[in-house]
Amino acid sequence: MTQTQRPFERRRQPITAKEYGPDPVDVHVGSRLRLRRTLLGLSQEQLAAAVGVTFQQIQKYERGSNRVSASRLYDIARVMGVPIQYFFEDIDDRITSHRPTQHLPEQAGITDIPRAPFEEDPMKKNETLELVQAYWKLPLDEQRETVLKMLKAMGRRD
């Protein structure tokens, strides 16, 4: 212990994505970014050009492997026509309880926390996004209502 450290302070090692994987909050923000981009019909290239980054950077944001800075998130929100809080909607204990920063470094088993793969959530699959886009492209309310009733009826058969 150095003279400048107090007895109750320990020097913490930095928490790295390499060791713990991407932060679940960054993954959530990225999935919301991907959802909104897809619903708007924007390609990664188009969004990247609009905010001044490469499409590879957008890919990394969407996976959560790169954290979106506050200023970049502001730019993305403006381009996509949503408030910044849109990217943080639906965050709950299920997501935040798995953050490595929620635990003290001395606690064992922090790397053993099970993390669901990104594509396990059906709401984040391309198929779901394509279905929602196709649904909203239907020109009449009656058509959308009929399709919705049909899907619900088919779901009850199983």
Side-chain angles (χ1 to χ4, degrees):
M1 182 168 55
T2 66
Q3 288 185 359
T4 58
Q5 276 185 311
R6 295 188 180 121
F8 56 86
E9 290 181 322
R10 282 195 194 195
R11 188 160 181 209
R12 289 180 46 166
Q13 294 296 97
I15 294 172
T16 64
K18 191 174 195 175
E19 186 176 354
Y20 294 104
D23 189 300
V25 173
D26 295 330
V27 172
H28 179 82
V29 168
S31 69
R32 297 287 294 175
L33 188 158
R34 179 174 178 253
L35 174 66
R36 182 67 179 166
R37 177 186 59 76
T38 305
L39 290 174
L40 290 173
L42 292 174
S43 69
Q44 290 177 332
E45 292 85 359
Q46 290 170 316
L47 178 58
V51 297
V53 298
T54 64
F55 80 90
Q56 292 96 335
Q57 189 61 43
I58 296 297
Q59 287 175 333
K60 291 175 183 178
Y61 290 156
E62 289 182 359
R63 281 193 311 266
S65 57
N66 277 19
R67 183 169 288 155
V68 184
S69 71
S71 57
R72 183 76 68 219
L73 190 60
Y74 175 80
D75 293 340
I76 291 169
R78 285 189 54 204
V79 166
M80 295 182 145
V82 293
I84 290 173
Q85 58 267 32
Y86 165 83
F87 299 101
F88 299 94
E89 288 176 359
D90 302 326
I91 286 186
D92 56 25
D93 289 341
R94 193 187 52 187
I95 293 168
T96 58
S97 66
H98 295 298
R99 298 184 70 218
T101 56
Q102 299 297 103
H103 306 281
L104 295 174
E106 297 83 25
Q107 290 179 329
I110 194 165
T111 58
D112 298 333
I113 296 171
R115 298 187 199 287
F118 177 76
E119 288 298 328
E120 247 183 48
D121 183 353
M123 294 306 294
K124 295 179 178 118
K125 291 186 175 188
N126 282 333
E127 180 181 7
T128 305
L129 299 174
E130 289 171 12
L131 180 64
V132 171
Q133 283 180 318
Y135 174 85
W136 286 110
K137 284 182 182 176
L138 294 172
L140 302 174
D141 290 341
E142 294 82 22
Q143 289 175 324
R144 286 190 294 275
E145 188 177 326
T146 301
V147 167
L148 184 58
K149 284 180 183 177
M150 177 191 70
L151 289 171
K152 286 180 177 179
M154 290 174 74
R156 284 191 291 266
R157 286 188 199 170
D158 293 341

